[in-house]
Amino acid sequence: MFIWKKYKNSSFILKMTIGFVLGIAVGVMFGHGAEVLKPLGTLLIKLLNLIATPVVFLTVVLAVNQMNPKQLGRTGGKLILYYGTTTAAAVLIGLGLALWINPGESLSLPNAAVGKPESPSFSNIILSIVPDNIVTAFSAGNLMAILFLAIVIGFTISGMRFSSEEKMQKYGGLLHDFFDAANELFFRILQGILLYAPIGIFAIAAASFGTQGWDTFKSLFKFTSVFYLGIVILWVVVYSGSLKLFNISVRKFFANTKEAYTTAFFTSSSIATLPVAIDGAKKAGISEKIVNFSLPLGAVFNSDGGALRMGASIVFAANVSGAHFSPLDFVTIILVGTLLSIGTAGIPAAGLVTLSAVLTMFNLPLEIVALIAGVDAIIGMAGTASNVIGDVVGAAVVDQSEKNRERKEALREEKLV
C-alpha cells in the first residue's frame, strides 16, 4: 500500500522518465527477449485510443462554450486571431523542420499495421467536415467532423447560457453542467490511464530498443533536436517579430517576463505559472484589464509548443511507418493541429491524447505516441515555456493594438475640434 501511494503521488514526468530509462536498459540487456513485454505496451496503446476522441470532443466543447459572445468583442477576437495565427505557424515550423531533417527515417515498426493514407480532393475534405450524423462521426473516428460538432455545440451552448431569455439561460446552464460532468468523468478515466502509462512506456521502450537498439535512441534524439530548433525559430521569428511589428522592445519584454517562462520551463505547468505570468506581463507594461482577460484565456486556448510538437510528430510517425503524405494531407495536418492545440491546451497529457487522435486519423501506428512519450519530459519543458510566453506576447500585441486605436481616435477627435 505504501509503495502504491508513493507511486501514485510521484511526479508524472518523473514516472514517465524512469519507465523510459528502465525500458532502454532492459531492451539493451535482453535484446529480442524484451519483446515478451510488448503486450503491456499494446494495452497502453488501446487505452489511449479509447480515451482520445471523447476527451478531445468534450474539452473543445467546454473551451468554446466558456466564451461569452457579448464580452468577447473586439479584444477577444484579436486574441483568437493571434492564437490561431501563431499556432498555425508553430505547426508549420514543426512540419517544415521535420521534413528537412527527417527524424525517424532509420527506425521502423515492423509489427505495426499501417494503412496507406488516402489523398482525397479538397472538396471532399471540406464536405467530410460536416458528418451525415453524429453517431457516424464518432464510430468512424472522423476527427475533423468531431471538431466541427464540438465547435458548433460549444458556441450554441454559449449563446444559450448568455441569452437574455431566462429559459435559455437555464437550459444552457444544464447543458454546460452535463458536458462539464462528462468531461470530469473522462478526465478521471484518463488519470487512471496515466497511472498505467509509465508501465506501458517501459514495455514499449524495452521492445523497441531490444529489436532496434540505438537506432531508436538516435531517432528520438533527432526528433528532440528538431523540436528545440523549432522552439528557437518560434521565439526569434514569430514572437520577436510580433513584438517588433507593434514597436515593443524585444529585449525589455523578455527581461521583464523571464520569471514567467523560466518558471514554466522548470514546472512544465501553464496553470501553475499563471500567477507569475500575470505579474511578469504587468511588469512589461501591459494593461491590467488586458492581462486579466487574455492570460487565463490563453491558458485554455493557446498551445504553440504543443502545435509545434504535433507537426514534428506527424512527420516522425510517417518516417517510422513508411507512410507518404500528399501536399493536401499536410494542409489538413496544419488545420487539425491548429484546432486541436487551441482547443485542448489545458488538458492533462494533452500532447499524448491529441497526438493519438491525429495518428488514428491518418492510420499511423499508435506505438509512436509511446516512443515520443519517452522524451516527453524534455519536450514538455520547452513546450510549456513557449505556451506561456506566447500568451504574454499575445497580450502585449493586443494591448498595443488597443492603445494605437485609442491614440488614433484621440487624434481624430482633436482634428474635428
Side-chain angles (χ1 to χ4, degrees):
M1 187 63 73
F2 172 76
I3 296 172
W4 168 248
K5 283 185 178 179
K6 188 77 174 172
Y7 175 80
K8 187 178 178 181
N9 296 327
S10 297
S11 161
F12 177 68
I13 292 172
L14 178 64
K15 287 184 287 195
M16 295 287 274
T17 303
I18 291 173
F20 183 64
V21 171
L22 287 176
I24 293 173
V26 169
V28 171
M29 285 172 60
F30 293 96
H32 285 272
E35 278 197 282
V36 71
L37 297 168
K38 192 171 181 181
L40 295 175
T42 304
L43 178 58
L44 174 63
I45 301 307
K46 284 181 171 289
L47 290 170
L48 285 172
N49 200 22
L50 172 73
I51 203 73
T53 300
V55 166
V56 167
F57 172 73
L58 291 167
T59 306
V60 174
V61 169
L62 287 171
V64 172
N65 94 58
Q66 284 169 6
M67 298 165 62
N68 182 339
K70 293 179 182 177
Q71 292 178 349
L72 194 59
R74 186 181 59 252
T75 303
K78 287 180 180 179
L79 280 169
I80 296 299
L81 177 63
Y82 165 83
Y83 295 154
T85 303
T86 58
T87 303
V91 178
L92 198 55
I93 290 168
L95 274 174
L97 285 175
L99 286 169
W100 175 43
I101 298 174
N102 278 317
E105 61 182 345
S106 61
L107 192 61
S108 63
L109 294 171
N111 297 322
V114 181
K116 187 181 184 301
E118 295 179 2
S119 299
S121 65
F122 182 74
S123 60
N124 285 339
I125 290 175
I126 298 299
L127 290 173
S128 70
I129 293 173
V130 183
D132 295 328
N133 62 67
I134 294 175
V135 176
T136 302
F138 282 91
S139 62
N142 185 342
L143 192 59
M144 294 285 279
I146 290 166
L147 284 173
F148 172 79
L149 287 169
I151 292 167
V152 169
I153 291 170
F155 272 122
T156 305
I157 294 173
S158 176
M160 293 169 71
R161 288 175 64 210
F162 299 104
S163 170
S164 56
E165 295 180 44
E166 189 176 334
K167 184 180 178 181
M168 285 299 106
Q169 287 178 17
K170 181 183 175 182
Y171 287 162
L174 287 171
L175 286 168
H176 172 78
D177 290 344
F178 169 77
F179 279 101
D180 198 25
N183 197 43
E184 183 63 32
L185 167 67
F186 280 99
F187 270 170
R188 286 177 179 269
I189 295 171
L190 176 60
Q191 286 165 5
I193 292 171
L194 294 181
L195 283 174
Y196 174 74
I199 299 169
I201 297 303
F202 161 77
I204 289 173
S208 298
F209 277 84
T211 54
Q212 302 195 57
W214 293 107
D215 281 344
T216 304
F217 179 81
K218 286 187 287 185
S219 294
L220 289 174
F221 178 78
K222 211 172 180 183
F223 172 78
T224 306
S225 301
V226 166
F227 179 78
Y228 269 84
L229 179 57
I231 292 292
V232 170
I233 294 171
L234 184 67
W235 284 48
V236 172
V237 177
V238 178
Y239 295 156
S240 299
S242 298
L243 293 170
K244 285 182 178 179
L245 189 64
F246 285 85
N247 296 315
I248 300 169
S249 171
V250 175
R251 183 176 293 181
K252 284 183 181 178
F253 176 86
F254 283 110
N256 286 324
T257 58
K258 65 179 180 293
E259 290 180 0
Y261 54 80
T262 52
T263 301
F265 184 85
F266 288 111
T267 62
S268 294
S269 172
S270 299
I271 302 299
T273 309
L274 192 55
V276 183
I278 288 172
D279 185 56
K282 290 174 181 176
K283 281 182 186 176
I286 306 169
S287 69
E288 188 171 345
K289 187 173 97 171
I290 296 292
V291 168
N292 291 340
F293 173 70
S294 64
L295 293 194
L297 189 72
V300 174
F301 279 93
N302 195 34
S303 180
D304 295 338
L308 198 154
R309 167 185 174 157
M310 179 79 71
S313 297
I314 288 293
V315 176
F316 178 79
N319 286 340
V320 170
S321 58
H324 299 283
F325 292 129
S326 69
L328 207 52
D329 290 326
F330 286 118
V331 172
T332 306
I333 290 166
I334 293 169
L335 179 60
V336 172
T338 302
L339 289 173
L340 280 178
S341 297
I342 289 175
T344 59
I347 72 171
L352 301 181
V353 174
T354 54
L355 183 57
S356 298
V358 175
L359 291 180
T360 301
M361 177 183 178
F362 285 97
N363 298 318
L364 294 172
L366 289 179
E367 283 88 347
I368 282 127
V369 178
L371 284 178
I372 291 173
V375 292
D376 191 63
I378 301 168
I379 290 172
M381 294 167 80
T384 306
S386 298
N387 294 344
V388 169
I389 200 63
D391 294 345
V392 183
V393 170
V397 165
V398 170
D399 183 52
Q400 192 61 42
S401 170
E402 288 295 292
K403 287 174 181 175
N404 292 343
R405 188 185 64 82
E406 288 169 7
R407 269 195 292 269
K408 286 178 183 177
E409 285 183 356
L411 286 171
R412 195 180 299 116
E413 287 174 7
E414 283 180 14
K415 287 179 182 178
L416 289 173
V417 172

